[in-house]
């Protein structure tokens, strides 16, 4: 509500100096930097957590082989791998879904924050253009950035994590069920499970993307700066 009252004062009162608008620009640049920094840290944390979980079965197999609970030669043949190792693969594959979901929510949260900053930028960029014939070279469209961007780095991170999770789940279920490994069936299973992950990513991001834009009582056009 406070942000929506600022343009009203700008219209009614003409005693604001250009330096005050430049202070808004400085706050804006700091906000953009903070959003990008938080997004990068969040992606790194979730990626590290996911890799730690996905390495669990390997550490378990090494520990069992070192303790001579499992014959290392048995790990080289699909049929001789103990069932509980396949169970561990399933467990850690399911656990790695949690950072996958958290990564999606983090992408959405940072995109919503960036959109709010873009909307805030609308409140002063027009005044700067008229007063100083200058405006920050930053987007002012509240619909930017896109939450669903599979070819951007956050989207690639999500999709790679989905593929790895699908591989763990498919291999674990196949081995635990005692079926003979078949490359074609494994690839089809991985693809189907990956499509489920992709559907979660697509639906969750598009729900955020299709939210209504903030109300604009001053009829300020949305455009790329």
């Amino acid at each position: 509500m406070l942000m929506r009252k600022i343009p009203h004062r700008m219209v009614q009162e003409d005693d604001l100096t250009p330096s005050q608008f430049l202070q808004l620009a400085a706050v804006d640049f700091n906000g953009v930097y903070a959003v990008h920094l938080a997004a990068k840290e969040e992606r790194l944390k979730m990626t590290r957590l996911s890799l730690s979980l996905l390495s669990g079965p390997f550490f378990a197999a090494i520990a069992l082989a070192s303790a001579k609970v499992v014959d290392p030669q048995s790990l080289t043949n699909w049929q001789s791998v103990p069932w509980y190792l396949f169970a561990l693969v399933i467990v850690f594959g399911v656990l790695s879904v949690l950072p996958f979901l958290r990564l999606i929510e983090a992408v959405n949260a940072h995109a919503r924050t960036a959109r709010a900053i873009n909307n805030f930028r609308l409140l002063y960029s027009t005044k700067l253009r008229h007063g100083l014939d200058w405006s920050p070279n930053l987007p002012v469209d509240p619909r930017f950035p896109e939450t669903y961007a599979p070819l951007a780095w956050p989207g690639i991170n999500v999709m790679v994590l989905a593929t790895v999770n699908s591989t763990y789940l498919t291999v674990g279920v196949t081995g635990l069920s005692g079926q003979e490994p078949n490359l074609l069936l494994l690839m089809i299973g991985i693809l189907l499970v990956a499509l489920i992950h992709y559907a979660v990513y697509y639906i969750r991001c598009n729900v955020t993307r299709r939210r209504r834009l903030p109300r604009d009582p001053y009829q300020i056009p949305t455009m790329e700066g």
Side-chain angles (χ1 to χ4, degrees), residues 125-147:
S125 61
T126 303
K127 196 72 175 181
L128 278 176
R129 188 184 298 274
H130 294 325
L132 300 178
D133 195 22
W134 175 85
S135 62
N137 186 22
L138 293 169
V140 295
D141 192 342
R143 296 167 296 183
F144 179 83
E146 290 281 357
T147 54

Side-chain angles (χ1 to χ4, degrees), residues 28-46 48 106 110-111 113-114 117 153-154:
D28 189 356
F29 277 96
N30 289 333
V32 172
Y33 175 76
V35 169
H36 286 294
L37 184 61
K40 181 179 179 180
E41 291 179 353
E42 190 73 19
R43 288 197 299 268
L44 287 176
K45 288 179 181 178
M46 290 302 104
R48 289 170 181 169
H110 296 134
T113 304
I117 293 176
W153 168 240

Side-chain angles (χ1 to χ4, degrees), residues 196-207:
I196 296 176
H197 284 72
Y198 176 79
V200 174
Y201 171 52
Y202 180 81
I203 293 172
R204 184 66 188 94
C205 289
N206 275 278
V207 167

